[in-house]
Amino acid sequence: MNVSVRGEVSIEEKVEAVQAPESIFKAVLAGSIGNALEWFDYGIYGYFAAIISSQFFASKEPITALMLSFIVFGVGFVMRPIGGLVFGHYADRVGRRAALTWTIVLMGISTFFVGCIPSYLTIGIWAPIFLTLCRLLQGISTGGEWGSCMSFLAEYATPYNRGYIVSWSEFSIAVGLLMGSALGTGLSFALTPDQLTNWGWRIAFWSGIFIAAFGLYTRKHVDETPEFKSAVQTNTLQETPLVEVLRNYKKETFLSFGLVIGWTISYWLVMAYMPTYISKILQFPLTLGFSLNTLLIIIFMIAIPFTGKLADKIGRRPVIMYSALGFVLLSYPLFYALSTTKSSIVLMAVLFVFAVLEALLCGGATVYMTEIFPTNVRCSAIAIGYNIAVACFGGTAPFISTWLVSATGSTLSPTYYLIAGSAVTFLVMVFLAKETYRKPLKK
């Protein structure tokens, strides 16, 4: 292995580190396990939204209670920029591993306590208040987790496999969502509707503590990234990473914000809102919504490593641009097919297309976010552009979609939000983005 005169870790050294199966496996597992927990929680909240709305809100109108539950769901996203700034600063100053350790502890505790909150009938207004507090803590954790996780994986990779390595962060998200969907499906089959509504849904939230314990163990037994070690050795860390980002990386921050708009809207509509849309809006059985969503997540999970490899082969820009364009052109006909069919086969085909499009967008966008910022501000920079966009557009996507259906009376109305967001991402990538693949990470 080679080390430069200044003590930086060379490309050759990182290649050897990544090619060592034990080293890269530990890094990917440690970096990704928190995502699995984060999105297990977000997923089960989306999957059990209809039940949560009846347990924590007193409205006699089901659609109103559902929208209230999605407002609380979105509250967690409001805290994501704060969590991203706090933990992003910590990750850029102390290390990625340290930040990831604290985020998984916070998420594990807050997820467990969601399952412990009594219903509105038991403690009245305190029920939605306590639910909101837990969502705030989860938002802080998720805001810090995502940027640190992407940076952690990118900094273990080489210029030639970075898309593939970073794609495992999205793979782990799919694992978390799949566990939530599979658990929701299993509970819906194993329990009666009354049992599921009264106490069965709590099992899903309690089980998150086991994922947190495993994640904490893995992160305690993995080394810091070569890139961050190099920044420490060369004394290039920033005292105030956020100030450095705002001073010298305005264009990159705006670019990341625009990139994430379509990415987060499509993600939350496709990957989390679909069970509610299929069951509550289209009036299909809840078990069918869970089952189809589980299939969608499996397709996404299988596809994402290949889309990461594709981004390594042809570049980040074309993968992002054409997937965003696919959402612009295909969203309306796909939603039309969903809303007019009674066939499970057609539903499966539509969700297959959505899953592949989302995998392509994630495969290019995730790694691209890590490559436009240097190591000494990477986590803080991602915290700004990514988390603010997610808070504004992703966390509100289920609520806005439900409100659009209620206001217009059209089951096709969510597609307008999806098309608009995807168009923004497409235009940003066409006019502002430069290609970054097969280049070393910025120092």
Side-chain angles (χ1 to χ4, degrees):
M1 292 190 291
N2 301 318
V3 181
S4 70
V5 175
R6 293 188 301 163
E8 296 181 14
V9 181
S10 68
I11 292 296
E12 290 82 0
E13 185 176 22
K14 284 190 288 183
V15 169
E16 290 181 22
V18 171
Q19 288 176 342
E22 182 180 359
S23 174
I24 191 57
F25 176 78
K26 288 174 62 177
V28 170
L29 180 62
S32 302
I33 187 64
N35 275 340
L37 173 61
E38 311 275 0
W39 298 85
F40 171 81
D41 168 75
Y42 277 74
I44 57 177
Y45 191 103
Y47 304 144
F48 290 112
I51 293 176
I52 291 173
S53 66
S54 67
Q55 288 287 301
F56 290 96
F57 302 97
S59 175
K60 295 181 180 180
E61 293 294 332
I63 193 70
T64 302
L66 182 61
M67 284 193 292
L68 288 172
S69 72
F70 280 136
I71 289 175
V72 174
F73 180 76
V75 164
F77 286 81
V78 174
M79 298 303 291
R80 288 184 64 152
I82 297 174
L85 292 176
V86 171
F87 284 108
H89 176 89
Y90 189 70
D92 285 334
R93 291 291 303 145
V94 180
R96 285 52 166 130
R97 190 187 71 157
L100 290 171
T101 298
W102 283 109
T103 57
I104 200 167
V105 169
L106 182 59
M107 176 55 82
I109 293 173
S110 54
T111 298
F112 178 81
F113 276 111
V114 168
C116 299
I117 303 171
S119 69
Y120 186 91
L121 291 177
T122 303
I123 60 173
I125 192 63
W126 287 105
I129 291 175
F130 286 143
L131 178 63
T132 302
L133 289 175
C134 285
R135 291 293 304 149
L136 292 175
L137 291 176
Q138 290 168 338
I140 291 173
S141 172
T142 304
E145 173 75 25
W146 185 232
S148 300
C149 170
M150 288 193 296
S151 300
F152 185 86
L153 293 180
E155 292 169 10
Y156 261 99
T158 76
Y160 303 99
N161 67 357
R162 193 177 298 124
Y164 173 69
I165 297 300
V166 177
S167 73
W168 289 97
S169 63
E170 291 287 352
F171 181 91
S172 68
I173 289 175
V175 170
L177 288 172
L178 179 60
M179 288 190 297
S181 178
L183 184 56
T185 302
L187 289 172
S188 65
F189 279 114
L191 303 175
T192 66
D194 285 342
Q195 290 174 328
L196 191 66
T197 299
N198 291 333
W199 53 267
W201 64 274
R202 298 179 185 274
I203 296 174
F205 288 92
W206 290 336
S207 62
I209 200 70
F210 298 105
I211 305 175
F214 178 70
L216 181 61
Y217 175 82
T218 59
R219 288 180 173 179
K220 286 287 188 179
H221 292 81
V222 70
D223 202 6
E224 186 54 81
T225 70
E227 290 286 343
F228 188 81
K229 285 183 177 180
S230 175
V232 172
Q233 292 168 357
T234 56
N235 198 30
T236 56
L237 298 180
Q238 293 288 327
E239 287 292 332
T240 52
L242 178 59
V243 174
E244 177 70 9
V245 172
L246 296 177
R247 180 186 296 133
N248 295 319
Y249 297 97
K250 297 183 183 68
K251 178 182 177 181
E252 290 85 353
T253 301
F254 180 79
L255 169 60
S256 67
F257 181 85
L259 165 62
V260 174
I261 289 176
W263 176 16
T264 191
I265 290 174
S266 64
Y267 200 98
W268 281 101
L269 288 186
V270 170
M271 304 301 293
Y273 180 63
M274 274 299 168
T276 299
Y277 182 78
I278 291 172
S279 62
K280 299 295 289 186
I281 305 300
L282 301 184
Q283 298 298 309
F284 283 97
L286 181 61
T287 53
L288 178 62
F290 278 136
S291 300
L292 288 175
N293 202 71
T294 300
L295 176 64
L296 180 149
I297 295 168
I298 291 173
I299 295 169
F300 174 85
M301 185 171 62
I302 294 172
I304 191 66
F306 293 99
T307 63
K309 281 183 173 289
L310 182 64
D312 284 330
K313 185 176 181 62
I314 67 173
R316 316 328 185 187
R317 288 184 73 245
V319 173
I320 298 170
M321 286 191 300
Y322 291 125
S323 55
L325 184 61
F327 275 113
V328 171
L329 298 178
L330 298 177
S331 290
Y332 188 88
L334 289 174
F335 266 86
Y336 181 81
L338 279 178
S339 63
T340 57
T341 187
K342 296 297 181 181
S343 168
S344 297
I345 302 299
V346 174
L347 290 175
M348 291 170 59
V350 169
L351 294 183
F352 177 85
V353 176
F354 271 133
V356 172
L357 284 175
E358 191 58 37
L360 285 167
L361 184 53
C362 290
T366 308
V367 66
Y368 189 78
M369 289 282 290
T370 69
E371 294 175 331
I372 58 178
F373 299 106
T375 300
N376 58 1
V377 298
R378 184 168 292 121
C379 294
S380 297
I382 292 174
I384 301 173
Y386 179 84
N387 285 308
I388 292 177
V390 170
C392 293
F393 300 98
T396 58
F399 170 76
I400 289 176
S401 298
T402 305
W403 176 81
L404 285 171
V405 172
S406 177
T408 65
S410 171
T411 58
L412 295 176
S413 54
T415 194
Y416 308 134
Y417 192 49
L418 177 55
I419 290 172
S422 300
V424 171
T425 294
F426 175 75
L427 293 174
V428 165
M429 293 305 297
V430 170
F431 294 107
L432 297 180
K434 295 181 180 179
E435 189 54 77
T436 57
Y437 84 128
R438 296 184 180 177
K439 298 177 182 178
L441 288 173
K442 294 181 178 181
K443 299 295 183 181

